[in-house]
Amino acid sequence: MVLAVFAVLVLFATLTFDRAQGAEPAGPQPLASAQDSTRADLGGLTEVDRVALDWSGDPVDDFQFQTSADGERWVTIRRVTGATGGEQAYDVSGIGRHLRVLATDRARQQDLDLAGLDVFGRAADRAAPAAAADVVRVAEFLAECPYSHRKPDDPIVLPGMPGASHMHSFFGNDSTDAHSDLGSLEGGRTTCDPVSDLSSYWVPTLYDGTREVEPTGTTFYYLGEGVRDDVIANIQPFPRGLRIIAGYSKATGPDDNSSARWSCLHHGEVPPGKEFVDCPDGSMLESYLDFPQCWNGVDLDSADHKSHMAFPVGGQCPSTHPVPVPKLRQVLRYPTNSPPAQLSLASGRGYTMHGDFFNVWPEDELAQRVRDCINPIIKCGADGTP
């Protein structure tokens, strides 16, 4: 492995292995910390943005790039499928002192036969934001997306079938209907602040008796919580077009839905619950819903619309879903304090609360917010700044 730091602070770490008989390694000599052709010690905490591979033989067609600060705890920063062999370069985004290439199927790790591994990036500098007195150390940015419209449509679960769903309340993209796809949503308008967020968010409509009740507070938080700090440092932006569902519309009891809860605004003395809660006069009914934050690194959706995503375990993403993405937390505030028995969702009781997310953030805007807010653990507003 070779580590060279240029004057412009661009770091270029190279591992080169010449298989020819008696040949000396090409280029500068490896550092003593070199381990093997699938792993590089970058000499210090590094922001990695590109990795180039040179395959000796047939490539492993499903592998991951992982980084680590200590060489023991690893975080996937990109999963690659369909590798074609030869020389290949990949854009990545991650931070760590170590980088490795890992076969997704661990039994194929021995088949990772690389002639060269080149890692590009720059020395990491996370110290500057800490000097600002007003920086809050919470990995967060948000979008405020007021109510847009209602339709008995669901473009994720029942695409192309208008009127086939229970009633949904939509937020953000104002064009969302049963026929929506990435292309149509990109041409829509939004209720969101920031206006660059063209994503679509929807939930089952809330009823007070027979009257529809729409939330007057609609905040969508993008968070880094739920995983270790080294995982937060390597959280990746959602891929464009990713669809995620949280909650369970077919729940038959409170224990069937672990990610949704109801509470009362400014009344912490009322215990939150998975069923509707009885809020005091003058309060508002709140709904909190957390979305899974670990992606399998390949699929934008799945047959059951859930299995391509997972929740973290023990502060990190499971090996089946190795790519950490922001945790989306949906917070809705409804202007009602009617008795729980009088309330219902279009999907049923309060424990059937669920939410759908169709990502249409511009890639550069989402990447900036993840880089400047989530990764360094800084609380940002809707504009993506502290």
Side-chain angles (χ1 to χ4, degrees):
M1 181 196 73
V2 176
L3 175 65
V5 181
F6 296 94
V8 292
L9 296 181
V10 175
L11 178 149
F12 172 35
T14 306
L15 272 142
T16 304
F17 297 86
D18 192 333
R19 308 292 187 184
Q21 292 184 357
E24 291 296 324
Q29 294 298 303
L31 298 177
S33 58
Q35 299 184 41
D36 57 48
S37 63
T38 63
R39 180 167 170 169
D41 184 335
L42 307 177
L45 203 60
T46 302
E47 294 183 22
V48 180
D49 55 32
R50 186 167 175 265
V51 180
L53 303 180
D54 183 6
W55 295 92
S56 292
D58 293 336
V60 172
D61 60 3
D62 189 345
F63 62 89
Q64 301 167 27
F65 294 116
Q66 296 187 329
T67 57
S68 173
D70 57 12
E72 296 181 359
R73 300 186 299 182
W74 295 87
V75 182
T76 296
I77 60 173
R78 181 169 176 180
R79 181 177 173 184
V80 177
T81 58
T84 57
E87 296 182 359
Q88 299 287 325
Y90 303 91
D91 291 331
V92 297
S93 177
I95 185 169
R97 172 171 177 152
H98 307 269
L99 180 136
R100 72 179 181 183
V101 186
L102 186 72
T104 299
D105 179 357
R106 302 297 189 266
R108 295 206 61 194
Q109 185 66 20
Q110 62 184 6
D111 298 331
L112 281 170
D113 189 11
L114 297 175
L117 168 61
D118 299 334
V119 184
F120 302 83
R122 60 193 56 81
D125 181 10
R126 298 294 192 191
D134 57 349
V135 165
V136 177
R137 286 299 182 183
V138 175
E140 172 188 309
F141 65 92
L142 58 85
E144 297 280 0
C145 302
Y147 166 75
S148 172
H149 60 284
R150 274 191 302 271
K151 279 182 178 291
D153 291 356
D154 191 327
I156 293 180
V157 177
L158 297 167
M161 301 174 64
S165 172
H166 51 247
M167 189 64 72
H168 281 114
S169 299
F170 292 87
F171 314 93
N173 199 299
D174 67 359
S175 71
T176 313
D177 61 21
H179 301 288
S180 292
D181 57 20
L182 181 59
S184 69
L185 292 172
E186 287 175 330
R189 297 173 300 178
T190 185
T191 66
C192 291
D193 175 15
V195 296
S196 55
D197 181 13
L198 293 175
S199 301
S200 186
Y201 312 81
W202 62 95
V203 299
T205 299
L206 176 70
Y207 291 89
D208 184 346
T210 59
R211 178 177 63 89
E212 298 97 343
V213 181
E214 299 299 348
T216 55
T218 50
T219 307
F220 298 88
Y221 294 95
Y222 292 80
L223 306 170
E225 67 176 43
V227 292
R228 301 188 311 261
D229 285 359
D230 62 305
V231 179
I232 294 175
N234 286 289
I235 283 177
Q236 304 297 304
F238 298 119
R240 200 160 173 82
L242 182 68
R243 277 87 86 189
I244 314 178
I245 294 178
Y248 186 32
S249 65
K250 301 184 187 307
T252 58
D255 293 340
D256 289 345
N257 195 341
S258 61
S259 61
R261 68 184 188 275
W262 297 91
S263 59
C264 300
L265 179 63
H266 302 320
H267 285 274
E269 75 278 7
V270 179
K274 297 175 184 178
E275 180 57 287
F276 299 120
V277 292
D278 197 354
C279 294
D281 290 344
S283 182
M284 297 176 70
L285 182 66
E286 291 183 309
S287 168
Y288 283 77
L289 183 65
D290 285 349
F291 286 67
Q293 66 198 96
C294 298
W295 177 45
N296 70 6
V298 177
D299 303 304
L300 299 179
D301 198 1
S302 49
D304 63 359
H305 312 294
K306 289 192 173 187
S307 61
H308 60 302
M309 301 296 300
F311 288 93
V313 178
Q316 64 185 0
C317 287
S319 61
T320 54
H321 297 75
V323 181
V325 295
K327 175 198 281 189
L328 177 61
R329 172 170 293 161
Q330 169 188 287
V331 180
L332 306 178
R333 296 185 173 109
Y334 293 89
T336 181
N337 53 13
S338 293
Q342 194 171 311
L343 302 174
S344 64
L345 293 169
S347 53
R349 296 302 307 160
Y351 47 73
T352 67
M353 185 58 167
H354 57 284
D356 298 57
F357 168 62
F358 198 129
N359 175 43
V360 199
W361 276 91
E363 291 180 338
D364 58 343
E365 294 237 8
L366 184 58
Q368 175 267 311
R369 285 165 168 78
V370 171
R371 182 186 67 245
D372 296 347
C373 307
I374 299 291
N375 296 150
I377 312 182
I378 293 175
K379 184 173 182 176
C380 295
D383 65 353
T385 62

